[in-house]
């Protein structure tokens, strides 16, 4: 579903990604771990088309299409979803209006008619229940005045609404207490399906207790330096990143 | 909502100024230029009574002693007032019995604008006094309104048929010497609307007038007068579009509103005149004087405006709160793009006791435009316990535009309570990217954010106008983001 080949990307003149190779198949959960500054968030930004970053080399194929050729909104409509590390506040725009516009844009892209008001409200209700979020969050403006935990829950709710093929969770666990973490992880797990793949970007093993990965990759200095099964996360938790750093010092 | 927005965007991507067509209708015009003879001619063509001719001449003589104002934050090219045609009317035909007799070209114009003039539109409950250039062509619903004693007609007709009301109220809120453009208008106005709501009557429908500037080089000088007698209520809508044109066109209208005891007038405007092209060429100059006087106790006037058009806008709908406990409100959205300039705001003059005023102004600037809010809150010595709250927000798109706020306060009574809040914000790239990541295009994202930002004002508009206003916002901001 997603094939990344020798991906290089820079911001201003600084090369952050220096040759990423990764293949993700339908239904798989991949965890990407690594120390600060390794390029984890850059990878999610580049995949979703954030223009602050410039792709210098390499290719990315998503659903058989050249991902790097698509606009950010078309990448989203193709089924790529990013749960932001720092969700943005949009004052004055209601969640209902925002989500309805988003859902309809996805439908239009697939050649479907816009969703009716009643179907939409029902969909909202069902998904809220599924991810266990407060009903009053959706009555407010997008992320405005939300606590850190509420923002992250809201990201998972949006993911449930848009039913992406590939969800990228960018440090979704940062700033969450253990209860909120559980809610968020449960939401993600409920959305798991044989067609839906997930990339979990995280510093800590903790989240991976709840969202169990099929593969764990260690990103260091813009490259994936180690890939293994879920046991790698435990090893990292125990030993820290220093041994990786030592091993791969240029 | 989303469907509307999609539809809007589809229309938006068409690009060109949608209402930029030109209708070829026979025009009765008098030669360019302005002198006493022209003023006399206008009055004569309109078969006005003597008192109107005097009204006009007085104004004209006063105008000759004045110079165009230059205090606004605007760059106004010099206007040659001798290069303007002061009267143009569609060729007079015999009295019209039905719609079939209306000039087919004129009807086609109305159709293109979507003006509900024909019978089916009666169902929508909007009475339309359609003004094309200077003469009212057709007035509907008059009979229905007449049953309740409501007068809704062109001002020329009112001058003929209700001279006492005109004598009493015309120029009573905006005297001819008020300002340069008001004097000009008083001398040469050719038509407009007149509304009178008798005591205790609640007008059963929204009254609306569509203005449209049509003839090449014809200045449009509209005159509107609304009088609401004791315990009455009316909601009045004004909306405008104008054909695309290279030469600048001057528009200097006057709107006067008088409310008596416990009467309420709601005046809503959606203004979409041709703003000029992307290089700032062409476009309408909109120099309007709008003022209301809350004469009676417990009376109320509410101005709501959505200003997206015109090359230059100079406009301050104001309230004189004379009656005790009277209330003035001003809700405004002013959008400027490309090279548009707007200097707009309000004046709230508190004279009576326990008077209240509310100002909500939302400016949206894009391109290389300049957008200014200018507002005066004045509390006179005798205005005990006056209250005002003002909120002035500016939203910037890009970094080549400007937003300015000029709040003036003149408080002469120490029981007054006056609050002013102002904010300036910018649509951030991260907000746009967040929307992109959810599948929204950048134009859609901007539309959504801007509509969210102006919601408070749009909500004040009558339903059908609110939808129109949202469309206009989208159209005006088209291409304003990379």
């Amino acid at each position: 579903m997603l094939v990344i080949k020798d991906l290089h990307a820079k911001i201003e003149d600084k090369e952050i990604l220096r040759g990423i190779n990764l293949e993700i198949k339908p239904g798989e959960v991949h965890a990407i771990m690594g120390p600060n500054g390794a390029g984890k968030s850059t990878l999610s930004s580049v995949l979703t088309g954030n223009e602050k970053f410039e792709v210098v080399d390499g290719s990315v194929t998503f659903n058989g299409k050249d991902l790097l050729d698509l606009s950010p909104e078309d990448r989203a409509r193709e089924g790529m979803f990013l749960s932001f590390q720092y969700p943005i506040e949009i004052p004055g725009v209601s969640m209902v209006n925002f989500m309805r516009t988003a859902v309809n844009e996805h439908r239009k892209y697939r050649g479907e008619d816009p969703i009716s008001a009643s179907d939409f409200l029902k969909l909202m209700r069902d998904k809220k229940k599924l991810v266990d979020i407060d009903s009053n969050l959706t009555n407010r403006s997008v992320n405005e005045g939300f606590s850190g935990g509420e923002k992250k829950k809201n990201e998972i709710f949006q993911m449930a609404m848009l039913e992406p093929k590939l969800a990228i969770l960018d440090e979704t666990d940062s700033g969450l207490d253990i209860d909120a973490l559980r809610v968020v992880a449960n939401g993600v797990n409920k959305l798991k399906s044989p067609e839906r793949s997930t990339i979990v970007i995280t510093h800590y093993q903790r989240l991976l207790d709840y969202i169990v990965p099929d593969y764990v990759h260690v990103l260091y200095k813009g490259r994936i330096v180690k890939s293994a099964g879920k046991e790698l996360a435990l090893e990292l938790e125990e030993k820290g990143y220093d041994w990786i750093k030592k091993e791969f010092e240029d | 909502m989303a469907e509307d927005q999609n539809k809007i965007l589809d229309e938006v991507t068409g690009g060109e100024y949608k209402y930029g067509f030109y209708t070829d209708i026979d025009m009765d015009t008098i030669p360019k230029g302005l002198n006493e003879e022209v003023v006399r001619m206008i009055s004569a063509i309109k078969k006005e009574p003597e008192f109107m001719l005097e009204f006009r001449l007085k104004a004209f003589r006063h105008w000759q002693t004045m110079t165009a104002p230059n205090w606004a934050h605007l760059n106004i090219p010099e206007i040659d007032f001798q290069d303007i045609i002061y009267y143009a009317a569609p060729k007079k035909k015999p009295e019209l019995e039905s719609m079939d007799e209306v000039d087919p070209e004129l009807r086609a114009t109305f159709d293109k604008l979507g003006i509900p003039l024909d019978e089916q539109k009666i169902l929508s409950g909007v009475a339309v006094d359609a003004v094309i250039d200077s003469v009212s062509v057709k007035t509907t619903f008059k009979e229905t309104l007449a049953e309740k004693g409501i007068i809704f007609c062109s001002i020329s007709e009112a001058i003929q048929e209700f001279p006492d009301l005109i004598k009493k109220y015309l120029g009573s809120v905006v005297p001819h010497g008020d300002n340069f453009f008001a004097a000009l208008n008083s001398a040469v106005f050719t038509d407009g609307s007149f509304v009178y709501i008798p005591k205790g009557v609640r007008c059963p429908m929204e009254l609306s007038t569509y203005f449209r500037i049509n003839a090449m080089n014809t200045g449009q000088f509209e005159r509107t007068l609304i009088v609401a007698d004791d315990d009455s209520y009316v909601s009045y809508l004004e909306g405008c579009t104008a054909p695309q044109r290279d030469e600048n066109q001057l528009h200097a209208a006057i709107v006067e509103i008088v409310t008596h005891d416990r009467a309420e007038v709601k005046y809503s405007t959606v203004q979409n005149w041709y703003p000029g092209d992307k290089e700032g060429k062409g476009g309408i100059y909109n120099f309007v004087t709008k003022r209301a006087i809350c004469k009676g106790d417990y009376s109320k006037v509410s101005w709501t405006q959505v200003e997206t058009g015109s090359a230059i806008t100079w406009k301050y709908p104001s309230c004189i709160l004379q009656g005790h406990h009277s209330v003035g409100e001003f809700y405004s959205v002013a959008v400027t793009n490309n090279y548009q300039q707007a200097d707009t705001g309000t004046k709230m003059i508190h004279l009576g006791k326990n008077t209240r005023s509310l100002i909500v102004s939302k400016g949206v600037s894009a391109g290389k435009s300049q957008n200014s809010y200018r507002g005066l809150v004045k509390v006179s010595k005798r205005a005990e316990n006056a209250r005002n709250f003002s909120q002035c927000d500016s939203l910037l798109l890009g970094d080549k535009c400007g937003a300015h706020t000029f709040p003036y306060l003149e408080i002469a009574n120490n029981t007054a309570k006056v609050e002013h809040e102002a904010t300036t914000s910018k649509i951030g790239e991260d907000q746009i990217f967040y929307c992109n990541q959810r599948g929204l295009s950048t134009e859609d994202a901007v539309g959504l954010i801007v509509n969210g930002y102006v919601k408070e004002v749009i909500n004040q508009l009558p339903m059908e106008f609110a939808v129109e206003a949202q469309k206009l916002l989208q159209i005006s901001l088209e291409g304003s983001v990379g």
Side-chain angles (χ1 to χ4, degrees):
Chain A
M1 130 177 315
L2 182 77
V3 182
I4 305 175
K5 278 189 185 148
D6 195 30
L7 183 64
H8 292 253
K10 62 176 188 180
I11 184 165
E12 279 147 22
D13 275 333
K14 201 172 168 217
E15 192 172 33
I16 312 268
L17 300 184
R18 302 192 300 165
I20 301 269
N21 290 288
L22 182 65
E23 182 173 356
I24 294 175
K25 295 198 173 71
E28 290 178 349
V29 177
H30 290 242
I32 295 182
M33 304 182 72
N36 287 327
K40 302 191 295 294
S41 288
T42 300
L43 179 60
S44 65
S45 295
V46 169
L47 290 178
T48 49
N50 190 328
E51 280 163 10
K52 284 179 193 155
F53 298 89
E54 191 191 331
V55 174
V56 198
D57 205 0
S59 70
V60 183
T61 317
F62 182 53
N63 298 329
K65 289 188 180 158
D66 181 353
L67 185 79
L68 302 177
D69 242 16
L70 299 175
S71 66
E73 57 268 33
D74 278 348
R75 297 183 196 196
R77 294 163 187 166
E78 280 287 334
M80 182 174 279
F81 180 92
L82 172 62
S83 168
F84 283 72
Q85 184 177 0
Y86 304 108
I88 309 297
E89 299 192 5
I90 310 178
V93 177
S94 72
M95 269 307 292
V96 173
N97 204 359
F98 181 66
M99 264 336 334
R100 192 157 170 219
T101 309
V103 167
N104 280 333
E105 285 301 324
H106 281 74
R107 292 173 70 100
K108 194 160 94 188
Y109 191 76
R110 295 193 297 259
E112 297 166 14
D113 287 334
I115 190 167
S116 75
S118 61
D119 285 352
F120 178 75
L121 291 175
K122 188 175 174 303
L123 184 69
M124 288 260 287
R125 239 184 353 255
D126 293 349
K127 299 297 185 182
K128 273 193 281 201
K129 214 190 250 165
L130 185 73
V131 297
D132 195 22
I133 86 160
D134 266 349
S135 59
N136 69 32
L137 284 190
T138 53
N139 294 334
R140 290 157 57 180
S141 290
V142 179
N143 292 324
E144 194 186 23
F146 285 25
S147 72
E150 284 170 339
K151 282 182 182 169
K152 296 298 173 75
K153 284 188 203 172
N154 192 26
E155 294 291 288
I156 303 304
F157 164 69
Q158 293 179 46
M159 172 179 157
M161 289 293 290
L162 297 173
E163 302 188 315
K165 296 192 183 99
L166 173 68
I168 304 169
L169 310 180
D170 189 1
E171 305 211 10
T172 297
D173 48 342
S174 69
L176 288 189
D177 62 34
I178 200 79
D179 293 327
L181 185 70
R182 203 173 290 138
V183 170
V184 164
N186 279 343
V188 173
N189 285 332
K190 279 186 189 154
L191 293 169
K192 256 179 101 165
S193 83
E195 294 82 39
R196 187 166 300 146
S197 318
T198 312
I199 297 177
V200 184
I201 294 174
T202 181
H203 275 294
Y204 304 108
Q205 146 69 18
R206 193 176 62 165
L207 179 65
L208 304 179
D209 285 341
Y210 298 98
I211 304 171
V212 181
D214 301 303
Y215 301 94
V216 175
H217 310 277
V218 178
L219 193 62
Y220 181 59
K221 289 197 170 170
R223 288 193 192 96
I224 289 175
V225 293
K226 213 169 184 60
S227 297
K230 63 185 177 207
E231 65 285 349
L232 178 58
L234 291 167
E235 194 180 349
L236 286 169
E237 181 80 0
E238 198 182 309
K239 299 204 222 160
Y241 290 111
D242 281 352
W243 62 282
I244 301 266
K245 287 184 188 170
K246 252 178 223 148
E247 201 171 324
F248 295 95
E249 213 56 65
D250 327 283
Chain B
M1 291 302 282
E3 284 160 63
D4 292 341
Q5 266 146 9
N6 288 343
K7 217 174 104 198
I8 290 161
L9 195 76
D10 289 345
E11 287 172 14
V12 165
T13 45
E16 287 294 288
Y17 180 68
K18 198 178 142 203
Y19 302 127
F21 46 83
Y22 176 73
T23 314
D24 192 14
I25 300 173
D26 254 345
M27 289 281 181
D28 252 338
T29 54
I30 57 179
K32 276 182 188 176
L34 185 55
N35 52 44
E36 204 165 302
E37 201 44 46
V38 167
V39 176
R40 283 177 191 280
M41 238 154 102
I42 292 171
S43 194
I45 290 171
K46 302 184 76 64
K47 300 192 182 68
E48 289 178 346
E50 189 59 27
F51 80 90
M52 273 312 300
L53 177 60
E54 270 161 34
F55 180 94
R56 289 177 185 278
L57 287 175
K58 218 159 57 184
F60 175 69
R61 287 173 193 142
H62 193 90
W63 178 74
Q64 283 181 306
T65 68
M66 303 171 97
T67 47
N70 62 0
W71 43 263
H73 193 84
L74 298 171
N75 179 14
I76 306 175
E78 203 163 318
I79 299 164
D80 182 356
F81 290 95
Q82 297 305 334
D83 197 37
I84 292 170
I85 297 167
Y86 286 88
Y87 183 81
K91 274 241 172 75
K92 199 92 186 158
K93 285 195 177 171
E95 287 292 298
L96 302 178
E97 292 296 324
S98 77
M99 277 304 290
D100 303 336
E101 296 177 35
V102 175
D103 186 333
E105 276 227 45
L106 192 53
R107 288 182 63 185
T109 304
F110 287 139
D111 286 345
K112 269 191 237 174
L113 285 169
I115 293 178
L117 199 71
D118 40 24
E119 298 303 314
Q120 47 172 316
K121 297 301 195 295
I122 291 176
L123 296 169
S124 65
V126 178
V128 177
D129 176 26
V131 177
I132 188 156
D133 277 300
S134 314
V135 167
S136 286
V137 177
K138 169 110 182 149
T139 304
T140 52
F141 289 94
K142 236 155 83 181
E143 293 79 16
T144 324
L145 295 171
E147 275 169 32
K148 289 190 171 274
I150 294 168
I151 303 167
F152 178 37
C153 63
S154 73
I155 197 115
S156 335
E157 203 178 328
I159 288 168
Q160 304 294 340
E161 292 183 26
F162 312 100
D164 293 345
L165 286 171
I166 296 295
K167 250 189 224 166
K168 185 170 173 189
Y169 291 110
L170 191 73
S172 72
V173 191
V174 181
H176 66 262
D178 188 82
N179 67 67
F180 183 82
F181 296 111
L184 182 63
N185 175 291
S186 300
V188 301
F189 76 87
T190 43
D191 220 330
S193 297
F194 175 67
V195 177
Y196 174 78
I197 315 288
K199 282 186 179 144
V201 171
R202 210 184 149 81
C203 185
M205 56 183 91
E206 317 264 1
L207 300 183
S208 74
T209 302
Y210 290 78
F211 295 92
R212 187 170 161 77
I213 298 177
N214 198 298
M216 181 80 77
N217 280 332
T218 305
Q220 177 116 346
F221 302 94
E222 293 292 338
R223 187 91 195 192
T224 302
L225 174 60
I226 300 174
V227 179
D229 219 326
D230 295 351
D231 300 289
S232 66
Y233 168 84
V234 64
S235 167
Y236 188 90
L237 320 180
E238 172 207 326
C240 337
T241 58
Q244 190 157 350
R245 197 58 48 82
D246 270 334
E247 245 164 290
N248 291 308
Q249 288 185 301
L250 174 66
H251 183 95
I254 291 182
V255 177
E256 296 179 283
I257 299 176
V258 180
T259 53
H260 290 284
D261 287 350
R262 294 168 301 277
E264 182 179 347
V265 174
K266 218 173 130 73
Y267 192 102
S268 312
T269 309
V270 171
Q271 187 267 109
N272 177 32
W273 280 331
Y274 182 54
D277 64 14
K278 284 210 166 80
E279 277 72 50
K281 198 168 173 235
I284 304 293
Y285 296 172
N286 190 23
F287 306 137
V288 181
T289 307
K290 288 183 168 178
R291 194 175 304 153
I293 182 161
C294 289
K295 250 193 154 66
D297 293 349
Y298 295 96
S299 63
K300 181 178 175 182
V301 169
S302 178
W303 298 102
T304 304
Q305 61 174 24
V306 175
E307 302 278 324
T308 64
S310 297
I312 304 177
T313 302
W314 180 94
K315 180 178 171 187
Y316 316 91
S318 306
C319 297
I320 301 169
L321 303 170
Q322 189 187 66
H324 300 313
H325 303 275
S326 61
V327 177
E329 290 177 344
F330 174 73
Y331 297 93
S332 168
V333 172
V335 180
T336 53
N337 197 357
N338 300 320
Y339 284 89
Q340 278 179 279
Q341 307 175 62
D343 195 296
T344 182
T346 185
K347 286 189 256 182
M348 293 290 176
I349 316 290
H350 293 254
L351 301 177
K353 288 178 183 140
N354 301 306
T355 46
R356 284 181 291 135
S357 61
L358 173 69
I359 298 169
V360 179
S361 163
K362 304 265 183 183
V364 181
S365 332
K368 293 178 176 148
S369 66
Q370 295 293 329
N371 200 330
S372 304
Y373 166 82
R374 185 184 304 276
L376 168 68
V377 176
K378 186 172 177 169
V379 177
S380 77
K381 229 187 222 162
R382 283 167 301 138
E384 297 285 320
N385 296 314
R387 294 279 176 276
N388 163 266
F389 178 76
S390 306
Q391 188 190 329
C392 305
D393 299 329
S394 307
L395 186 67
L396 301 172
L397 281 79
D399 51 11
K400 292 188 178 65
C401 51
H404 316 270
T405 304
F406 305 98
Y408 304 87
L409 299 174
E410 291 174 21
I411 315 295
N413 183 308
N414 60 14
T415 60
K417 197 174 159 196
V418 175
E419 292 171 72
H420 179 90
E421 276 179 19
T423 66
T424 303
S425 49
K426 227 181 132 171
I427 295 187
E429 278 170 28
D430 48 355
Q431 284 178 326
I432 304 266
F433 181 66
Y434 189 79
C435 293
N436 288 158
Q437 214 301 303
R438 297 304 184 247
L440 276 62
S441 69
T442 300
E443 295 252 340
D444 264 346
V446 170
L448 204 63
I449 294 169
V450 169
N451 274 309
Y453 164 78
V454 301
K455 200 162 54 184
E456 219 179 323
V457 173
I458 301 288
N459 285 346
Q460 296 297 322
L461 291 173
M463 191 54 187
E464 66 271 28
F465 245 33
V467 174
E468 172 94 345
Q470 281 200 334
K471 276 192 206 179
L472 289 188
L473 291 180
Q474 289 273 17
I475 291 171
S476 337
L477 290 171
E478 180 204 346
S480 60
V481 279

